[in-house]
Amino acid sequence: MLAKEGRPRHYLAMPIIRGLVLLSLASQDTTRIRVLLDVEDSRPRSIEALAPLIEAARSGDTLVARWAIRGLGRQQRGDLLPALSAALASTSPGNRAEAANAIAQSTLHDDTDPGPGRRALETRLTVESDPVVISAILRALGRLREGPVEWTGLELLITRSATGVEGDASRAVLEGAAQGLGSLYRQRGAQPASTASVERLAALTGTSYPPTVRRPAMAALVASARADSTVLHRGLKDSAREVRRAAATAAFISKDLPGRERLVDVAWRDADPAVRYEAVRAFGRHLVKQETCEPILGALDDKNLHVRLLAVDLLGACGNGAAPRLVNFARSRLTADAWHLPAHAIVALANADSGAALALLPRFVSSGVWWARMYAARAAETLGEIPALTRLARDQEPNVREAALAGLHRKVGHQADSLYIAALGAGDYQLIQTAATALDSSADPRAVPALWKAFARLTSEKRETSRDPRMAILRSIEHIGSQSLATELREAASDFDSTVAQAAARLASKWSATSVAPTPKPLPRAPVPSWSDLDRWSRVTAEITMRNGGVIRMKLRPFDAPTNVARFVNMVNRGWFDGLTWHRVVPNFVVQGGSPGANEFMGDGPFTRDELGLEHHVRGTVGISTRGRDTGDGQIFFNLIDNWRLDHDYTIIGEVVSGMEVVDAMQEGALIQRVTLIPDKS
């Protein structure tokens, strides 16, 4: 089960629809809401096409208005700030909170002046009395991208709002203030945190506050890079695992941290592997060169496999002294169920003892487990073993070929052009993208024809998920092609993908006598779900049964992410996930899967739009993986920790309600037996 450390207060009070769904649905204009969802999902360019949302944001129907306000924010357009600022005066606290979030969402583009949004939020803050709305405003203010002077003013405003606030009814304010400060400190180029703000955050990590306050407060304090050892030590004794883990993270990310050794020692002995993982990471980054590798060798006996694998990885920097243990691991059983330790060991051994690694590399190159062969490619690159890389570059498994080609590109460059050209005929998008990138600046006369042939073939498939490899092809063609392709590029300016169309039009203009404007012809969108669909999906549990027998159950959030939940349900009903893997496992971050290619670039199409709102990527929530705005392809990920930095960028479609221990134990390549939808009994 998920650790019961508490959720942010607004978790139940603030989602766009959930609270209102529990009211009388018969009185709500659900037909109109579906129309609004269709407008939202279409991402129209003209302000006129957004008129239904703008008008509905003023509706007297609270549910309709809130749906419209959220939909406007999801457009991420600065020209909608007047309508959203007006919504801050709504009589509904939930709508005012949604408006605050939408204002911040609308200022994300670099060409949008955040000033009007900031002023609207600050003005509302002076008269707002509802703690949940104040919380939303403080979080929104922390996300605004401002210059040094404005940044300092925002920090002071948020800190003052969290000063002198006590009592159960105001805990939401403290959560919002901590989250707002955390967002400020995580911004690129953030100004140094003030002493007053750091002291207030340190106070909020005290045990007199609930975990829902302590968790974001500790995370913000760590992000400020000004947490002192006393506060961190207190955090390492906290009853909430996420507070302890965040405190341990400071020992890893902070460059100059007095008392780091003691912090690491305390975290190393924690009962939770997530905290111990951070201790091992911190030792590997900051202390291994000052002391010895003995502690890392000791971590090889940790009862948690993630910690042991990290220790193996770190031993690569420990030289010959670590080689005997690595050799033993590299010689251990190598099967479909037990390849992780030997595979990590051969890569580490390539750094620690090249001679020993070369002797053992053949067993990985010829392994029947393709994951082991993929790691063999990484080891071969480190060793400069070009024959092994060349062999693996012809492997039947696309992920092995991709790893080998990437290694060859870095080691021998265009000497392997024939292998890159051959890979352009593959069906795997990640492999094609890597091959196309490797051919950039190639002098091989076969390169440009092969690149364009691959582009044309992928275009004919009419899959939005081909964007990444096609863009990689166009980038390479721009550098090694010529105006002989101007006609073909002019045609590509009408591509179904607007991003590809714009790139093709720009390149066609470069090689033509006249300017070429992009005229994309989008593919048909999937129909948006009905209200009855959303209501039905809110009363089912998705049950994920693993090949090893573990079961994960998750509740869906169709009223928060209607089109993405619709995609997920459709994929489950098609049996899409059955037999696939969790191909990306990053301890203390996420577990991701749902790709038929077992990589980031193969997924379902067409893209779904981002459906971002007030909810947070706390531990146990389930998100949609993307590679840019509005590029959901059905791959999902579990948040292993409180991933505050993913908020407002990645859609949340559900949360784990049981089986989080199965997720925590997941290893790279774990197999899904099946996914089913089970109606709730009540």
Side-chain angles (χ1 to χ4, degrees), residues 263-555:
L263 286 169
V264 169
D265 182 63
V266 173
W268 204 294
R269 292 181 278 108
D270 196 274
D272 196 290
V275 183
R276 298 199 303 275
Y277 189 93
E278 292 299 340
V280 177
R281 280 211 308 166
F283 189 92
R285 168 175 283 188
H286 299 288
L287 303 177
V288 71
K289 294 180 180 179
Q290 301 174 23
E291 301 183 17
T292 70
C293 286
E294 288 301 320
I296 301 295
L297 289 167
L300 294 174
D301 298 321
D302 195 280
K303 59 185 178 181
N304 181 269
L305 182 55
H306 287 305
V307 176
R308 295 202 302 275
L309 289 175
L310 174 61
V312 169
D313 294 340
L314 293 174
L315 285 178
C318 291
N320 290 337
R325 293 295 299 272
L326 291 174
V327 167
N328 288 336
F329 282 125
R331 286 175 173 168
S332 61
R333 191 164 62 102
L334 188 58
T335 67
D337 296 323
W339 59 266
H340 301 83
L341 275 172
H344 281 251
I346 191 64
V347 175
L349 191 60
N351 287 289
D353 188 329
S354 59
L358 282 169
L360 290 169
L361 185 63
R363 78 182 295 249
F364 293 88
V365 172
S366 60
S367 172
V369 181
W370 72 258
W371 294 93
R373 300 198 303 276
M374 183 175 71
Y375 274 74
R378 298 171 184 173
E381 178 184 351
T382 299
L383 295 166
E385 182 62 12
I386 306 306
L389 284 173
T390 302
R391 173 179 171 177
L392 293 169
R394 298 188 176 97
D395 198 275
Q396 293 183 347
E397 167 56 44
N399 290 301
V400 177
R401 293 178 67 188
E402 190 277 334
L405 288 182
L408 286 170
H409 176 50
R410 288 186 285 266
K411 286 295 182 181
V412 302
H414 293 299
Q415 294 178 38
D417 276 359
S418 60
L419 291 171
Y420 312 146
I421 291 171
L424 291 174
D428 184 85
Y429 290 171
Q430 179 179 245
L431 177 57
I432 296 171
Q433 179 178 341
T434 296
T437 301
L439 287 169
D440 193 343
S441 76
S442 172
D444 192 315
R446 300 170 298 169
V448 171
L451 285 165
W452 188 255
K453 182 179 179 181
F455 181 89
R457 174 171 57 84
L458 294 179
T459 300
S460 69
E461 295 174 0
K462 292 191 177 298
R463 293 177 59 85
E464 286 184 326
T465 49
S466 68
R467 174 185 292 176
D468 292 293
R470 292 198 298 148
M471 288 296 292
I473 289 172
L474 289 179
R475 285 191 292 269
S476 289
I477 283 178
E478 179 174 10
H479 296 148
I480 64 176
S482 67
Q483 61 185 12
S484 63
L485 286 174
T487 300
E488 289 86 345
L489 287 165
R490 187 183 294 270
E491 294 176 359
S494 297
D495 194 85
F496 58 85
D497 186 312
S498 61
T499 300
V500 174
Q502 291 171 6
R506 182 184 60 78
L507 192 51
S509 299
K510 178 179 177 180
W511 288 339
S512 301
T514 58
S515 177
V516 178
T519 55
K521 299 176 181 178
L523 299 174
R525 290 185 295 115
V528 297
S530 67
W531 187 271
S532 61
D533 290 332
L534 303 180
D535 182 48
R536 184 173 70 257
W537 299 334
S538 72
R539 291 181 280 107
V540 302
T541 297
E543 188 172 271
I544 303 171
T545 303
M546 300 301 298
R547 187 70 58 87
N548 64 5
V551 177
I552 306 157
R553 294 180 179 88
M554 57 180 278
K555 290 296 296 180

